[in-house]
Amino acid sequence: MILTVTLNAALDVTYGVDSLRPRTSHRVGAVDRRAGGKGVDVARVLAGRGRAVTVTGLVGGPTGALVREDLRAVRGLRDALVPVSGESRRTVTVVSGDDGDATVFNERGPQVSPSEWRAFAGRFAELVREASVVALCGSLPPGLPSDAYAQLVARAAETGVPTVLDTSGAPLLDALGARPDVVKPNAAELASATGCEDAGAGAERLRGLGARSVVVSSGPGGLLAVTPEGRRRAVPPERLAGNPTGAGDACVAALAAGLADGAHWGDVLSDAVALSAAAVACPVAGDVDAATYERFRTTVTVEDLHAPQPH
C-alpha cells in the first residue's frame, strides 16, 4: 500500500473558457469539481493504475465533506483523512481553450490547532506501519509548524518506510535534515530554495542538506535526477499542449510506485515523464490519458550524465 499525505486537502474547481483575458468577464464552459490537493491527485493517479493507495491528511467543514464524498467514488482508494474544525480550502483552475494554459488560484486552507496536529501525527504513526512508501505532498495549512513534514519523514524512517516529498519553501528546507528518500521540486521551487539557477547544482545542494535523491521537473524539458547512482536526464519525445497542473502529481505517483517496486532509476524516470505527459493531455489534475502514456513510455530519452557524487 502506498500512503499519500495531503495536509492541505482541497476541493478543486476547474473552469474551461475559450480564452482567458484580464479585466473582462468570461463565459465558463466545462466545469469540474473534485477532491484535490497534491497528495490526493497523486493517489488518484496511483489508484487509476491499479495500485492500493490510502489517502490521509486534514479536512474540515462542508468543503471537507465534499472532498470525502468525491473520494468514495474512486475505486482502490482508501479514505483515512483526519477531521479538523476549520473549513477546507477550494482551488480554482481556469483553463484557456485557445492555448491550453492554466491559471490557478489557491486558498490558504483552514487554521489547524496544535491538538489537531497531534491527533493527525498519531493517526499517521498507525497508517505508516501498513505502507510500502509514503508520498508527502503540497503546502501546509495555517497553524502547522514549518517542520511538519520533517516530523512525518522522521516517523516514516523510524518505521523503515521510504518517503517521497513534494513541497517548497521552508517546509522543504526544514524536512531535509530528516533525510527524505526522494525530493521532487520543480525548477522554480529549487531555485527559490537554494539560490542556484543551475538545476544540477541546486539538486546537489539539497542532497548536501540531507535529501538522498532529488528529481527536478522542468515542464516540457523533462526531469533531472541526482541520486546516489549519478545524474540522469529524462526528456519527452515531443511537447504537448494541455493542462499542466497535474503533471507534477503524476510524476510523484510514478516515483512512489518505482520506489515501492525497487525499480531501476532509468525505468522510474522514463515512466515518470510518460505519466506526466499523459496528465497534461487531460483537462483536470489527477487523470491521465492512457493512449498518451502508452505512446510516450517507450519513446522517452533517458541519458546518463555522469557518475555519482558521495554524500
Side-chain angles (χ1 to χ4, degrees), residues 101-143:
D101 282 349
T103 301
V104 184
F105 300 87
N106 292 316
E107 296 179 5
R108 293 186 66 204
Q111 183 76 27
V112 179
S113 70
S115 62
E116 289 170 333
W117 171 238
R118 287 193 296 271
F120 174 81
R123 181 63 171 135
F124 177 82
E126 298 170 356
L127 292 168
V128 75
R129 290 196 291 267
E130 308 169 16
S132 58
V133 172
V134 179
L136 306 110
C137 308
S139 63
L140 300 180

Side-chain angles (χ1 to χ4, degrees), residues 3-128:
L3 177 65
T4 72
V5 176
T6 312
L7 295 176
N8 209 1
L11 185 72
D12 286 346
V13 182
T14 302
Y15 291 152
V17 299
D18 291 336
S19 179
L20 182 62
R21 301 182 304 278
R23 297 178 297 278
T24 187
S25 62
H26 295 77
R27 187 174 297 278
V28 176
V31 179
D32 185 272
R33 295 179 179 88
R34 58 163 53 184
K38 293 179 73 63
V40 170
D41 291 336
V42 170
R44 197 185 294 273
V45 172
L46 288 166
R49 294 181 53 74
R51 295 277 179 166
V53 59
T54 296
V55 172
T56 192
L58 301 170
V59 292
T63 302
L66 291 174
V67 168
R68 303 192 85 158
E69 179 182 346
D70 183 68
L71 289 179
R72 283 197 290 272
V74 181
R75 179 177 298 177
L77 192 152
R78 172 189 173 200
D79 171 4
L81 292 162
V82 175
V84 296
S85 60
E87 179 83 8
S88 288
R89 66 191 179 123
R90 293 178 182 238
T91 70
V92 177
T93 300
V94 181
V95 180
S96 176
D98 58 355
D99 57 15
D101 282 349
T103 301
V104 184
F105 300 87
N106 292 316
E107 296 179 5
R108 293 186 66 204
Q111 183 76 27
V112 179
S113 70
S115 62
E116 289 170 333
W117 171 238
R118 287 193 296 271
F120 174 81
R123 181 63 171 135
F124 177 82
E126 298 170 356
L127 292 168
V128 75

Side-chain angles (χ1 to χ4, degrees), residues 241-266:
N243 178 9
T245 55
D249 303 329
C251 176
V252 172
L255 295 175
L259 201 57
D261 295 342
H264 183 272
W265 266 110

Side-chain angles (χ1 to χ4, degrees), residues 166 184-189 215-224 247-248 251 276:
D166 182 12
K184 195 222 73 67
N186 63 36
E189 292 165 345
V215 177
V216 185
S217 58
S218 55
L223 302 174
L224 172 68
C251 176
S276 298

Side-chain angles (χ1 to χ4, degrees), residues 132-285:
S132 58
V133 172
V134 179
L136 306 110
C137 308
S139 63
L140 300 180
L144 289 194
S146 64
D147 70 343
Y149 282 131
Q151 296 178 40
L152 301 181
V153 170
R155 176 55 63 92
E158 290 171 3
T159 317
V161 178
T163 49
V164 181
L165 177 65
D166 182 12
T167 190
S168 60
L172 167 62
L173 292 173
D174 286 352
L176 296 176
R179 305 219 61 194
D181 292 272
V182 182
V183 173
K184 195 222 73 67
N186 63 36
E189 292 165 345
L190 180 67
S192 176
T194 65
C196 298
E197 293 300 324
D198 177 75
E204 291 289 5
R205 181 163 296 182
L206 293 190
R207 290 195 68 223
L209 293 171
R212 298 178 192 276
S213 296
V214 180
V215 177
V216 185
S217 58
S218 55
L223 302 174
L224 172 68
V226 182
T227 78
E229 298 178 13
R231 290 191 191 186
R232 290 181 177 85
R233 186 178 302 279
V235 181
E238 62 186 84
R239 180 168 185 163
L240 290 177
N243 178 9
T245 55
D249 303 329
C251 176
V252 172
L255 295 175
L259 201 57
D261 295 342
H264 183 272
W265 266 110
D267 296 332
V268 173
L269 294 173
S270 180
D271 196 58
V273 170
L275 208 56
S276 298
V280 170
C282 289
V284 292

